[in-house]
Amino acid sequence: MPQRHSKNNNDLAFFTYDERRKLGYGTQKERLGKDSIKPFDACCICLKPLIDPLCCHKGHLFCKECIFECLLAQKKDIKRKMAVYLAQQKQDKEEEEEKRNMQREAELDTFDRQNNSAVPTLEDGGTASDRSGNGFHGANSVKVTSYEEEALRTMKAFWLPSATPEAPERVEAPSADTCCPEGKEKLKLKELFPVHFTDVPHREKKELDLDGERYMCPSCSVTFTNTSTLVVVSSCGHVFCSKCSEQFISKDKVCLVCNRGCKSRHLIKLEKGGTGFAGHGDDLEATTFKHVGSGTGMGLSRPTTRL
């Protein structure tokens, strides 16, 4: 009785379409669930609900304590790198000065030997070449210069751990600018501004814990969710939905809550973000390696993956 084809579907000399898909070839598509998306009211650093929220001009939200600690750590790291770089510059300057002094001493020594020792004196007989350490002593002798002697004396051996040559690590001049931990653009502390959300009235704590919808638009009273497109006014920090921002604030140039004047550059769209394990956006492309399985002969591959 012939065997079923399902048991021998991998005995071909080439990969089938299904086998290539299992090995990770081609474009991999996957729909992200709710757990993979960071809530709009969560900090980009600690991924917890915002406490005293601050926002940058790119629309990233942070807790006040988290962003302060992050910028302070960056400044300490910059200060440490700058100290290492200055020490390296000082060492290079000292080595250059020492090399210049040695060259000057060598020139003076050469000048002194040329003027005071032009004619060698032989007291015990013999030739000058016999008394010098670099003279010939036979037909197979080789004359070694002082440079070659120094090279042989300080020669490094790659097979001996104690004599292995070391390459000094060069440190580049560090940048003095702190950057945003989310967008990687330059960020200063004075560029951050506070954000004020409008709470949903008449909601109990139990209801908030179940659905998490605790903020709303102060203009149209629509409850904010992860699917909402939010706009914050940087001049006052109030958050509106995109529809109210386009219909009213962009035209009237006035905040609907505090009646404070604003311009188009003050309207900043809040970025929707994924967690530390998932990205976000319409055109998302994975750039990390993934293991496609042992025994396939591929090891680690880098497929183009769209989530």
Side-chain angles (χ1 to χ4, degrees):
M1 181 177 179
Q3 295 181 354
R4 291 181 300 175
H5 177 69
S6 59
K7 293 185 177 181
N8 298 325
N9 59 353
N10 58 354
D11 59 347
L12 301 177
F14 55 88
F15 284 159
T16 61
Y17 174 78
D18 184 64
E19 291 171 350
R20 292 177 64 88
R21 295 283 294 181
K22 290 180 179 179
L23 290 176
Y25 286 94
T27 302
Q28 306 293 326
K29 295 182 179 180
E30 182 180 354
R31 182 180 294 275
L32 296 179
K34 182 179 180 181
D35 296 336
S36 300
I37 302 299
K38 176 180 70 65
F40 69 92
D41 59 341
C43 174
C44 293
I45 299 178
C46 65
L47 302 179
K48 296 180 180 180
L50 292 167
I51 301 176
D52 295 332
L54 296 178
C55 182
C56 67
H57 288 281
K58 293 295 183 180
H60 301 119
L61 293 173
F62 308 96
C63 296
K64 185 176 182 179
E65 183 179 358
C66 294
I67 190 62
F68 277 21
E69 290 181 356
C70 180
L71 295 180
L72 180 61
Q74 291 185 33
K75 288 182 179 180
K76 289 183 178 179
D77 190 44
I78 291 173
K79 186 176 181 180
R80 179 186 59 81
K81 292 181 179 179
M82 184 60 68
V84 174
Y85 177 73
L86 294 178
Q88 176 183 276
Q89 294 293 100
K90 183 179 179 181
Q91 183 179 0
D92 293 345
K93 188 176 181 180
E94 292 177 355
E95 291 179 356
E96 186 69 23
E97 186 68 22
E98 183 179 359
K99 187 183 298 183
R100 193 180 299 111
N101 293 337
M102 292 178 60
Q103 184 177 2
R104 189 182 299 111
E105 292 178 0
E107 292 176 356
L108 293 176
D109 187 26
T110 302
F111 178 79
D112 185 64
R113 285 190 286 103
Q114 288 178 352
N115 289 273
N116 300 331
S117 304
V119 180
T121 58
L122 302 177
E123 298 178 356
D124 300 334
T127 60
S129 60
D130 295 336
R131 295 186 179 277
S132 62
N134 299 332
F136 290 94
H137 300 282
N140 296 328
S141 63
V142 179
K143 186 177 182 181
V144 181
T145 62
S146 60
Y147 176 79
E148 292 174 346
E149 288 180 354
E150 181 68 20
L152 291 174
R153 186 162 52 251
T154 60
M155 183 179 63
K156 300 294 183 180
F158 288 93
W159 54 89
L160 297 177
S162 60
T164 303
E166 297 180 356
E169 182 179 358
R170 303 294 299 178
V171 180
E172 300 294 335
S175 175
D177 299 323
T178 55
C179 63
C180 176
E182 184 72 14
K184 303 304 180 182
E185 68 272 359
K186 294 182 181 179
L187 178 64
K188 296 182 179 180
L189 188 61
K190 62 181 181 181
E191 296 177 355
L192 298 171
F193 59 91
V195 177
H196 306 288
F197 287 97
T198 304
D199 295 330
V200 177
H202 310 297
R203 297 294 299 274
E204 297 182 359
K205 185 178 180 181
K206 294 182 179 180
E207 297 178 356
L208 295 177
D209 294 338
L210 291 176
D211 53 19
E213 299 176 355
R214 53 178 179 171
Y215 299 126
M216 70 175 187
C217 176
S219 176
C220 60
S221 300
V222 174
T223 305
F224 293 153
T225 61
N226 282 351
T227 59
S228 304
T229 302
L230 308 181
V231 177
V232 60
V233 183
S234 61
S235 58
C236 60
H238 293 106
V239 182
F240 300 88
C241 63
S242 59
K243 293 183 179 179
C244 295
S245 174
E246 295 175 358
Q247 294 178 1
F248 304 108
I249 302 179
S250 299
K251 296 180 180 179
D252 299 337
K253 307 297 182 182
V254 175
C255 177
L256 301 177
V257 177
C258 60
N259 293 327
R260 186 173 181 177
C262 61
K263 298 181 181 180
S264 299
R265 59 185 177 87
H266 293 150
L267 302 179
I268 299 176
K269 179 182 176 182
L270 294 181
E271 292 291 336
K272 299 179 182 179
T275 64
F277 306 97
H280 66 283
D282 297 332
D283 299 327
L284 176 65
E285 184 174 349
T287 57
T288 57
F289 290 91
K290 77 170 186 177
H291 188 71
V292 295
S294 60
T296 59
M298 296 177 59
L300 292 176
S301 66
R302 192 176 186 177
T304 302
T305 306
R306 290 185 179 276
L307 300 178

